[in-house]
Amino acid sequence: MKVSVEQIIRPEIAQLHAYAVPDASGFVKLDAMENPYAWDDATQKAWLSDIARAQINRYPEPDPAKLKARIKSIFDVPEGFDIILGNGSDELIQILALTIAKPGAVIMAPEPTFVMYRMIATFSGLRFVGVPLKSDFSLDVEAMLAAIKKDSPALIYLAYPNNPTGNLFDRAAIEKILQTSSGLIVLDEAYSAFASDTFMSDLPRYDNLLVMRTLSKMGLAGLRLGFLAGAPMWLSEFNKIRLPYNINVLTQFSVEFALKHKAVFDKQTQQIQRDRQWLITELQQIPGLEVYSSEANFVLFRSPSGEATRIFTALKNARILIKNLSPQGGLLRDCLRVTVGTPQENRAFITALNSILQA
Ligand SMILES: *Cc1c(COP(=O)(O)O)cnc(C)c1O
């Protein structure tokens, strides 16, 4: 029997491209918002002896209460609110989509933003509505309110700070959306370790607010742990969709260990914030670049018209990997995004960029 892809696969999936991750071995890796610092030898050793307790012949704890309590306390989840854990916040985005996926339901987000909102909405069979940001990457509140009225989204994502633009949206504008929308609003605070504001303490003020966090950008991207904080009335519904053993035992043990050493990450994130400022100042001194402010661990900049792909490729040939956003077009035309690395990596990037732009 001959079976064709078109016959079996949903057309909206056939049209998608899988999320592409370039091979970065041997590169100065400044493309994926990772923390560039490895643990020192003593911490590494302590971690290894700690996770040796893990019983990998057994299933992990399905809903690790002690770990969750620890996360709630460290990340200031307000009294009376709960969290669910995800295998990265990407999994939480998928759980949210599956939970609300009634026929015709809409997920909305301003764009450009984190691409997984649109991708996951699409493969969950939902309609995604993107509302363009203003040209300075601020929220277009009027357009958002009009779109909310027209499409009644079941869920709105606001990345705070936004990826790939790096800015925090205006707080008053977000509160207006929280007050106007009859759907859920997820504040995706993936970069909160580097940002000056959060909505975590606003949870008791809004029935429809959820706050999503991840440990990835703080320094644990390899562990895959995200969490969603909100009212138990919502979380108990999402929990039904969550696969019972979605957080493996090594991640559970490692996160517990890492949170005991939270001060190490705090020091690293403070260093990264200082180096972000250094990077911004250096980029601003290069003629022809427009540099955007950032509350995250990356910096977005606009190259001279038509130059982004040449710059990206020349950096790649110099073994420095950043993100070329120009192919996405629209507001991101000519834009490149660089993750803040170690001081040495940042210097290598600036030196290479200077010589490429002078060539
Ligand atoms: C990186 C990122 C995530 C995904 O984080 P994981 O927990 O690693 O899946 C979510 N939201 C935004 C805005 C991000 O930039």
Side-chain angles (χ1 to χ4, degrees), residues 97-110:
L98 292 173
T99 316
I100 63 161
K102 292 186 205 168
V106 167
I107 290 187
M108 183 176 286

Side-chain angles (χ1 to χ4, degrees), residues 281-298:
T281 307
E282 290 291 316
L283 284 167
Q284 281 169 337
Q285 284 165 24
I286 301 177
L289 300 185
E290 188 179 355
V291 187
Y292 295 94
S293 66
S294 171
E295 297 253 357
N297 62 343
F298 60 84

